[in-house]
Amino acid sequence: MSQPCADLGVEGEAEPAARPAWPRRGWRRAVGLLAAVALNTLAGPSLAQGTVVVGSKRFTESYVLGELVTQTLKRAGIDAEHRPGLGNTAILAQALDAGDVHVYPEYTGTIVRELLQRDGAEAAGASLDQINHWLAPRGLKAAVPLGFNNTYALAMREDQAAQLGIDSISALAALATRAPQQAAALRFGLSHEFLVRADGWPALRQAYALPYSSPQGLDHGLAYQALAGGQVDVIDVYSTDAQIGRLKLRVLRDDRAFFPRYDAVLLMRAGLDATVLQAALGGRIDEATMVALNAEAEVDGRAFADIAQRFLARMPSASSPSTAAPPAVAASAAEAPPAPRGFV
């Protein structure tokens, strides 16, 4: 965790890839190749045996939520398997489109901007019904709002931000004019996905006229340690990250309201009945709860499966087999993969 900055997660397609090193015209082809590799790892006995496959991305919160979904299904008597850390948004979405993954945790802002490539006022204020209208042609739906908004933000060490007088993203942009030498010395360490997302660095840089270019890409899981160790000065964070409070970081205000809402939902195949998941998880996780769950993993070192088990043990048994029906998928010619148990 304390290795030099050059070693911090820059390792090909760690999460999701060192895409900034690829030629701009070639990164989409590279993502496709990496997605194909990831999908090959999904082909296994579980689908043939009728298991609901739950995916997750490669960061703490996604792992925890993936375990919550998996264990909720199992508590309802439904065969389910968690395939953790499958990759970035593009890879998970392709797996979902192909039917190799049936459900995974996602965020409304990511769905609208990254998957649906929609922007503007309509996209910013899109309801869940509107999002599902846009998703319908892909055979997907967003369901089970979990109860918290996990937006993107930029963060710095509190002492450095205070010394430089930076409390917002606009103030970060203005530093280049006010103190150009200090601005030039700032080292950005942004996650690989944030560097290329439609709602990430390129659009943020344009919206705020940020005079910084070629930030270093690193794995999100290593970014906090790099910031705390003084190896980088500015990182992208999620607002429910446990490390923000623990490391006493300053989250810069998004004073131009660039980032959309990122309400946590479950993105799934359209035919998957979300009744069990809605009963057990819908609206049950507010931001404080999610921060605490993340802290159990990152601060206390608990296993993701143990965190999920402890959380569900405190919840009413809404998803028990006697009170809830298993997921079901309406028969459709578009459903090419073999139907898992719990599907019809």
Side-chain angles (χ1 to χ4, degrees), residues 272-320:
L272 186 65
D273 185 345
T275 303
V276 166
L277 296 169
Q278 176 63 41
L281 300 176
R284 300 291 185 95
I285 308 173
D286 60 17
E287 289 189 26
T289 299
M290 195 65 246
V291 169
L293 293 174
N294 288 334
E296 286 190 47
E298 296 180 6
V299 179
D300 301 333
R302 293 188 183 277
F304 301 123
D306 181 48
I307 294 167
Q309 184 178 30
R310 288 160 56 89
F311 176 83
L312 292 173
R314 299 192 295 266
M315 294 290 101
S317 184
S319 59
S320 64

Side-chain angles (χ1 to χ4, degrees), residues 112-157:
V112 171
R113 288 199 174 187
E114 187 70 11
L115 298 185
L116 296 169
Q117 296 290 305
R118 291 181 179 269
D119 209 339
E122 183 185 25
S127 66
L128 200 60
D129 285 343
Q130 180 62 67
I131 291 172
N132 281 323
H133 175 72
W134 291 331
L135 285 171
R138 295 180 61 165
L140 305 178
K141 68 179 179 183
V144 193
L146 296 174
F148 68 93
N149 171 36
N150 184 6
T151 189
Y152 266 117
L154 295 183
M156 301 177 64
R157 292 183 300 278

